[in-house]
Amino acid sequence: MAASTPNAILIIDDDANLLAGLRRNIAGQYALDTFTDPHAALTSLRQGPMYAVVISDMRMPQMDGFTFLRQVHRLCPESVCVILTGANEQGPAVQAVNDGHIFRFLKKPCSRDELSRVIEQACQEYRNRCLRNGFLYRQTKNEQGPALMEAEAGVWAVTGYRGIDLAEQSFRWKDMTLPEDRFNVQAFYERAWAGVLPDPLEHRLCRKDGSVIWVRNTLLNRYVHGDMTLTIEGQIQDITEQKRIERNLEQARRRFEKIVANVPGLVFQCQIQSSGDFAFTFVSHSCLRLLGVTSEQLLMDSSLLFQAFSSDDRSSFFSKLAESAEQLSSLVWQGRHTRGDTERWFQITAQPERLADGQVLWDGLLMDITEQKKSEQHAEFLAQISNENPTPVLRVNEQGRIIYANDAAAPLLTLWHRQVSQLLPQDIYEIVLKASEGGRPITVEQRCVDHYYSIIFSPVRDSTDVNLYARDITKIKIAELELRNANQVLIEHDRLKSEFVSTVTHELRTPLCIFRNILSNALAGVHGPISKRLRENLEMAQSGVERLSRIISDFLDVNKIEAGSLQLEVDLCSLNDVVLETCRSLKLLAAAKKIKIKTDMPGGDCPAWIDRDRIVQVLVNLIGNAIKFIPIRGHITVRLETLEESFKISVQDDGPGLTPEEMARVFDRFVQIKTLKGPGRHGTGLGLTISRELVRLHGGRIHVDSEPGKGCTFWFTLPRTAKSQGSEPAIIASSPGHDC
């Protein structure tokens, strides 16, 4: 039996048939033990773990139910007691519930639903008892023996021990107390036995699991029985969490005192009392060094703070104090302090807070700003040089305090809500720190109402100060905005142009297909014999239609590339076959100019994952350009090479070559470097652009090597590893927005 679970139930009844019926009703819901003998049940309670609920019959031959449940409560006060009554036994049960001796009573026979409902309520009560952080106890002592301990519900949650552990093992309570606390605990109880109720005692206990807790032991009552037996009643409260909080507060207080001691100024707290008098409630010990009076003296007499300040300074302070109290605004005050022949400047900065009783409390800091004042006076002297500068100029110190600003800096100070001698906003101060630490000027832009400023944060040589030089760049920003707007217009025009070209080229493909079919049929004699002159005209028309079809295809490819909709149908192909077949298909075109095409192939096969038609398109563009642009009887060499991680295909000619400027532009759209005169010889200037994008989609790159007069070598690479792995053909799509 898993009686350690919160749902362990113990039922005692001398009627075995009733127990069997109860077991059937709650079978599977709870861990259940049943007994017909209450003495055996008590033995089980002593030796085993706790039960959440104990249900007892009221009338049993060996022991009545109330007596049995009182024993259960003594052994395990966390267990929730329920009594079973007969039809005429409800009166005592109701009284026992009202007196708190039992939790509930059940009238026999009870329904399964009623039994489950009461058990669930009792289990919830058990869980609540196991979460208590305190318990009541009773100790009884006579002259013959040691004090006996009886504990109420909560003892298990606090100590980890059951009531039986304390009731039947008198030494347990003493052993739980830590050795260093036992003397105080013993004296505590000796006073109680002597007739004096001592003050609550806080000490430590060792729980059953070995953990140490803090408890508060409070005696509630003491009385003497007729047989001279003494009884004391008390309460144990777990205050471990309270002790932890107190310990943390004490550590925080010590850290605060340490921080205050290291602050280079006087930390104070003050308030205006209900009588209207100004008084300090806290003053750090640095006041003796700064003001010549002790913190104790200032706490007793706050007027000692102002005795060395002039009457005007005192009047200014109390005026600002009243304004701060009324508006709950920060208090900032400066005054000149004279002690003997020494004159020093001090500044008070304080933040007000309105308390629940309506009084105002200030937390503040008094700082010696004598050196700062000297720096300001020096800066004011230097300001005469740059005050007439029409651009904003400021100087700040390493704390971020503005020590100088010329008249032109007024818009920036207004934007920052600052004045000279005040600290910069945090974001601006961080830039000052970066410039100071880096030792280099930093430039940022900031908008000020309808103007833009470029601010240079420049560290001052041999100083920790930083100068701020601002320049009005409003006209430049307006020009940038106009340029961006114009650029957006151009982008929109380019988009409309692309849409127009795409629409026109799509619309032209259908009629061109019709024209091509008509011309092919006419040339094939489908419509009858044609004359030689007509054939020449038809062949010329067919050549023009083919050229126009290629131009339309180029435009469509460019639009697909720009839109990211161009897809490659990749499959494993032999580059050897692709190169050789492409060269054979172009030999007739080369022969018209008596140009020889030579191929240079490697010894082995070169398999690659490619879109065969698109690589053929790239080769046709490169070889076709070479045929067009080199002289008659020229030479073209197409070479396939195997590199470490890729294959390289190059097309070399002995034509006029390209200049460096031409090579830089040769892959741009609509660029025709070598324009040849004559009909049918002009291209769109898109072939190399499309070739570059097709190679890029394959994961390769394309390049040209050339010198004027020494021909050109266009070459591109294809990766040896597939761009899409696997044995099946794959689709590779272009990404939109690529600049081709």
Side-chain angles (χ1 to χ4, degrees):
M1 180 200 68
S4 59
T5 64
N7 292 341
I9 310 297
L10 175 65
I11 303 179
I12 303 93
D13 198 298
D14 58 338
D15 188 343
N17 293 329
L18 177 64
L19 289 178
L22 292 175
R23 182 181 290 277
R24 286 193 299 272
N25 284 338
I26 60 176
Q29 301 180 43
Y30 307 97
L32 180 64
D33 279 351
T34 59
F35 289 88
T36 58
D37 183 358
H39 295 288
L42 291 175
T43 300
S44 176
L45 277 170
R46 285 188 173 91
Q47 297 175 352
M50 293 191 300
Y51 290 92
V53 182
V54 178
I55 303 175
S56 172
D57 187 16
M58 179 180 288
R59 302 296 181 189
M60 295 180 291
Q62 302 91 334
M63 185 186 302
D64 72 87
F66 289 125
T67 301
F68 171 76
L69 291 180
R70 280 195 295 271
Q71 290 294 322
V72 170
H73 181 76
R74 175 175 173 271
L75 297 176
C76 186
E78 273 75 16
S79 297
V80 180
C81 297
V82 178
I83 200 162
L84 293 169
T85 68
N88 300 320
E89 300 172 335
Q90 297 183 38
V94 171
Q95 185 62 40
V97 171
N98 293 337
D99 293 341
H101 298 315
I102 63 173
F103 179 69
R104 293 283 189 275
F105 70 87
L106 285 169
K107 179 182 175 182
K108 295 188 295 184
C110 61
S111 67
R112 177 177 181 178
D113 291 342
E114 177 66 13
L115 177 62
S116 297
R117 183 182 65 81
V118 171
I119 290 178
E120 182 55 37
Q121 291 176 353
C123 286
Q124 182 59 49
E125 173 65 17
Y126 171 75
R127 288 190 286 270
N128 293 338
R129 293 180 181 182
C130 290
L131 294 176
R132 293 181 181 179
N133 66 344
F135 63 92
L136 298 174
Y137 71 89
R138 182 183 303 105
Q139 285 195 23
T140 303
K141 181 180 180 182
N142 54 36
E143 296 180 357
Q144 284 73 32
L148 300 178
M149 180 82 167
E150 293 184 18
E152 296 292 330
V155 62
W156 182 82
V158 175
T159 68
Y161 290 99
R162 301 177 303 166
I164 186 175
D165 298 327
L166 301 181
E168 298 186 355
Q169 300 175 10
S170 58
F171 61 86
R172 179 70 64 189
W173 183 248
K174 179 181 178 182
D175 289 349
M176 288 169 55
T177 305
L178 262 62
E180 50 267 42
D181 292 342
R182 288 175 186 172
F183 177 80
N184 292 335
V185 173
Q186 181 179 356
F188 177 81
Y189 284 116
E190 286 178 353
R191 294 188 66 194
W193 298 126
V196 179
L197 287 180
D199 294 331
L201 175 66
E202 294 179 357
H203 61 93
R204 288 162 294 177
L205 292 180
C206 182
R207 286 171 44 87
K208 187 175 182 180
D209 60 10
S211 60
V212 176
I213 62 172
W214 275 93
V215 297
R216 179 182 292 113
N217 192 344
T218 305
L219 289 188
L220 305 176
N221 197 6
R222 175 187 180 277
Y223 49 90
V224 181
H225 300 277
D227 58 356
M228 301 305 294
T229 300
L230 298 178
T231 298
I232 57 174
E233 294 177 343
Q235 181 185 40
I236 297 293
Q237 192 76 20
D238 186 345
I239 60 169
T240 306
E241 180 64 16
Q242 176 183 332
K243 281 291 186 179
R244 185 189 65 80
I245 295 174
E246 291 176 355
R247 185 170 59 254
N248 291 342
L249 288 175
E250 178 62 19
Q251 292 175 353
R253 184 188 65 81
R254 292 179 180 177
R255 285 196 298 269
F256 173 75
E257 290 180 350
K258 185 176 180 180
I259 291 172
V260 168
N262 293 326
V263 170
L266 172 65
V267 179
F268 67 87
Q269 193 175 70
C270 64
Q271 68 178 118
I272 298 179
Q273 298 176 335
S274 57
S275 61
D277 295 333
F278 172 82
F280 287 104
T281 56
F282 172 80
V283 180
S284 64
H285 296 295
S286 56
C287 59
L288 180 62
R289 172 177 53 84
L290 293 172
L291 303 174
V293 293
T294 65
S295 57
E296 292 78 9
Q297 289 174 317
L298 275 182
L299 291 173
M300 292 294 295
D301 185 2
S302 60
S303 64
L304 295 176
L305 172 67
F306 303 103
Q307 64 182 1
F309 289 94
S310 67
S311 58
D312 291 339
D313 287 338
R314 289 196 296 270
S315 176
S316 171
F317 173 80
F318 285 106
S319 175
K320 289 181 178 291
L321 188 70
E323 180 182 349
S324 174
E326 180 180 355
Q327 302 178 4
L328 287 182
S329 58
S330 298
L331 167 65
V332 180
W333 171 83
Q334 292 181 359
R336 186 165 49 189
H337 182 273
T338 304
R339 188 172 63 180
D341 297 332
T342 304
E343 182 179 275
R344 305 194 67 80
W345 279 89
F346 289 97
Q347 175 174 291
I348 289 179
T349 305
Q351 189 66 32
E353 175 188 3
R354 191 174 301 280
L355 304 180
D357 58 3
Q359 295 187 12
V360 179
L361 183 73
W362 284 268
D363 297 316
L365 177 67
L366 181 143
M367 293 284 293
D368 185 339
I369 59 169
T370 305
E371 295 302 321
Q372 174 186 326
K373 276 293 183 179
K374 291 180 179 179
S375 298
E376 291 174 1
Q377 292 169 359
H378 182 63
E380 290 175 0
F381 171 76
L382 296 177
Q384 301 302 322
I385 301 173
S386 59
N387 199 42
E388 296 180 359
N389 192 329
T391 60
V393 178
L394 303 93
R395 173 171 286 195
V396 298
N397 61 16
E398 59 182 344
Q399 288 84 32
R401 193 176 303 279
I402 305 170
I403 58 178
Y404 168 75
N406 66 353
D407 294 341
L412 288 177
L413 294 177
T414 302
L415 173 68
W416 297 336
H417 303 290
R418 296 295 189 272
Q419 298 177 357
V420 175
S421 79
Q422 292 184 346
L423 295 174
L424 286 171
Q426 183 61 30
D427 55 340
I428 304 298
Y429 176 52
E430 290 176 357
I431 302 174
V432 170
L433 288 179
K434 289 182 180 179
S436 179
E437 293 171 357
R440 293 182 178 180
I442 296 177
T443 303
V444 298
E445 293 182 3
Q446 190 165 41
R447 184 173 182 178
C448 181
V449 192
D450 56 349
H451 283 261
Y452 289 89
Y453 286 94
S454 174
I455 306 176
I456 301 175
F457 295 75
S458 178
V460 178
R461 183 181 300 176
D462 300 327
S463 173
T464 58
D465 295 345
V466 175
N467 287 340
L468 279 64
Y469 304 101
R471 180 168 60 93
D472 192 333
I473 58 170
T474 305
K475 293 182 179 180
I476 298 176
K477 298 298 288 188
I478 292 174
E480 289 180 357
L481 180 61
E482 293 174 349
L483 182 60
R484 282 197 297 269
N485 292 337
N487 188 46
Q488 290 299 321
V489 172
L490 290 176
I491 292 173
E492 179 63 17
H493 287 173
D494 186 67
R495 185 187 65 81
L496 294 175
K497 180 267 298 177
S498 298
E499 289 182 358
F500 174 74
V501 171
S502 177
T503 302
V504 170
T505 50
H506 275 288
E507 293 298 327
L508 286 175
R509 296 192 81 171
T510 300
L512 279 177
C513 185
I514 297 172
F515 294 157
R516 185 188 293 113
N517 291 336
I518 293 173
L519 291 171
S520 297
N521 291 337
L523 288 170
V526 174
H527 304 296
I530 57 175
S531 63
K532 180 180 180 181
R533 183 179 183 126
L534 179 58
R535 176 175 294 279
E536 291 175 353
N537 289 337
L538 289 175
E539 288 176 349
M540 187 182 300
Q542 187 181 41
S543 176
V545 168
E546 293 296 336
R547 179 175 178 275
L548 185 57
S549 178
R550 287 194 299 272
I551 292 174
I552 290 173
S553 295
D554 286 347
F555 275 113
L556 287 176
D557 284 345
V558 169
N559 283 334
K560 287 180 180 179
I561 292 171
E562 290 179 341
S565 60
L566 182 65
Q567 292 184 340
L568 301 181
E569 297 184 2
V570 177
D571 201 355
L572 188 62
C573 302
S574 171
L575 289 181
N576 308 60
D577 296 342
V578 172
V579 172
L580 292 174
E581 292 175 8
T582 304
C583 291
R584 281 196 294 269
S585 69
L586 293 172
K587 280 190 175 181
L588 186 61
L589 180 64
K593 291 181 64 177
K594 297 182 175 56
I595 295 174
K596 292 184 178 180
I597 300 178
K598 177 185 176 183
T599 58
D600 184 1
M601 298 288 109
D605 190 30
C606 299
W609 288 87
I610 60 171
D611 185 328
R612 183 185 183 93
D613 293 339
R614 291 300 186 179
I615 294 302
V616 169
Q617 181 180 352
V618 173
L619 284 170
V620 168
N621 280 334
L622 298 181
I623 300 173
N625 282 346
I627 294 173
K628 281 195 295 184
F629 297 140
I630 67 174
I632 297 174
R633 295 186 178 85
H635 298 82
I636 298 174
T637 300
V638 181
R639 183 175 290 105
L640 174 60
E641 302 175 66
T642 301
L643 304 180
E644 184 177 350
E645 296 182 354
S646 62
F647 298 109
K648 179 179 179 181
I649 302 175
S650 58
V651 177
Q652 182 181 1
D653 64 54
D654 55 359
L658 298 173
T659 65
E661 292 78 11
E662 291 171 335
M663 284 192 294
R665 300 174 52 240
V666 72
F667 292 103
D668 294 344
R669 285 184 295 178
F670 307 113
V671 172
Q672 295 175 321
I673 301 301
K674 301 293 183 181
T675 303
L676 301 181
K677 297 182 180 179
R681 306 303 294 273
H682 299 283
T684 60
L686 294 174
L688 290 178
T689 301
I690 295 171
S691 298
R692 180 187 64 186
E693 295 306 311
L694 292 177
V695 171
R696 182 184 64 82
L697 283 175
H698 279 82
R701 64 189 188 97
I702 191 169
H703 190 67
V704 58
D705 298 322
S706 179
E707 291 183 22
K710 294 185 179 181
C712 296
T713 300
F714 283 85
W715 57 269
F716 64 93
T717 62
L718 295 171
R720 301 183 68 170
T721 303
K723 188 162 187 177
S724 291
Q725 297 288 348
S727 60
E728 296 297 326
I731 301 295
I732 299 176
S734 61
S735 57
H738 188 79
D739 184 13
C740 61

